[in-house]
Amino acid sequence: MTKNRGLSFYKRKKKINRGHVREVFLWILGMLIAVFIALVLNIFLGTMTNVVGVSMEPTLYNGQKVFINTFHYLISAPKRGDVIVFLPNGNENSHYYIKRVVAVVGDKVVIRDGILYVNDEASPWVTEKLVEEGIAANEFVLGNGEYFCIGDNSGNSEDSRSANIGPVKEKDILGKVWFRAPCEELGMGFVK
């Protein structure tokens, strides 16, 4: 008997090649890992912004790029000495301000004879004599979610002493500056 080799309308089942399945799986896994790493970097590096002005010299310079950790303050509160990025009074039309936290929630703040006192002790974060006392001329206590911030170059800084900025509210803080991009004066590195 001879087999009929004519037209056949039956589909032959294709065998799945395990090597191809494995390769597709590895591609998908690689893409998922890349997306995960990108998300983690975005959370921890947060965002990047430029320093505007000379108020943070010699720590940061005008035009220098800094990385902001936007995740840090989701799990902890700002501490004295932290360099933070915030929008003054939440003003979305303003540039980001970068200043150092010198007093935290519940601290008593006053400037007398050009010296910043926090809880009746001279602040170690402000070493030069302050010419402008601003709102800190009269002693006050920082409320819940408020931080008193001053630029490292306090003689050329618009900061929490100014009535139009005042104490920085926690909700207006974008994050903590943790890394600076290279610049001629400082090089690159972590912000202290």
Side-chain angles (χ1 to χ4, degrees):
M1 224 190 220
T2 62
K3 285 189 175 178
N4 185 358
R5 297 198 185 242
L7 293 175
S8 173
F9 295 103
Y10 296 103
K11 291 184 177 179
R12 290 187 346 185
K13 287 189 176 180
K14 292 184 179 181
K15 291 185 180 179
I16 297 175
N17 184 336
R18 290 185 187 190
H20 290 258
V21 171
R22 185 172 180 264
E23 189 173 337
V24 168
F25 176 74
L26 288 176
W27 274 95
I28 291 171
L29 182 64
M31 286 188 280
L32 290 175
I33 290 171
V35 168
F36 176 76
I37 290 171
L39 286 173
V40 167
L41 288 176
N42 192 37
I43 288 170
F44 287 101
L45 292 180
T47 188
M48 189 169 60
T49 191
N50 290 333
V51 176
V52 177
V54 296
S55 70
M56 283 303 291
E57 288 182 2
T59 306
L60 301 169
Y61 288 87
N62 185 37
Q64 186 176 18
K65 293 187 183 309
V66 293
F67 291 97
I68 306 162
N69 184 334
T70 56
F71 179 74
H72 188 76
Y73 294 140
L74 295 177
I75 57 174
S76 71
K79 298 183 295 285
R80 282 183 214 96
D82 285 357
V83 177
I84 64 169
V85 177
F86 64 94
L87 285 171
N89 299 313
N91 182 355
E92 296 286 333
N93 296 323
S94 175
H95 65 82
Y96 291 128
Y97 277 53
I98 301 174
K99 306 292 179 202
R100 187 174 301 276
V101 176
V102 294
V104 297
V105 176
D107 283 349
K108 187 169 44 170
V109 177
V110 67
I111 297 174
R112 274 185 262 129
D113 300 322
I115 299 171
L116 172 68
Y117 291 94
V118 177
N119 299 325
D120 299 320
E121 292 182 16
S123 173
W125 299 107
V126 180
T127 55
E128 63 185 72
K129 191 168 182 137
L130 300 170
V131 177
E132 294 291 324
E133 297 168 342
I135 65 169
N138 299 314
E139 185 175 272
F140 65 94
V141 176
L142 291 169
N144 193 25
E146 291 184 335
Y147 300 89
F148 198 80
C149 302
I150 293 184
D152 287 357
N153 184 3
S154 56
N156 290 313
S157 177
E158 182 182 27
D159 46 43
S160 289
R161 296 172 290 171
S162 174
N164 65 333
I165 294 177
V168 177
K169 305 210 177 355
E170 192 167 14
K171 66 180 179 60
D172 298 333
I173 297 174
L174 180 65
K176 178 180 180 177
V177 173
W178 72 280
F179 193 80
R180 60 180 168 237
C183 81
E184 292 176 19
E185 293 84 358
L186 291 176
M188 66 180 200
F190 294 98
V191 175
K192 296 176 185 170

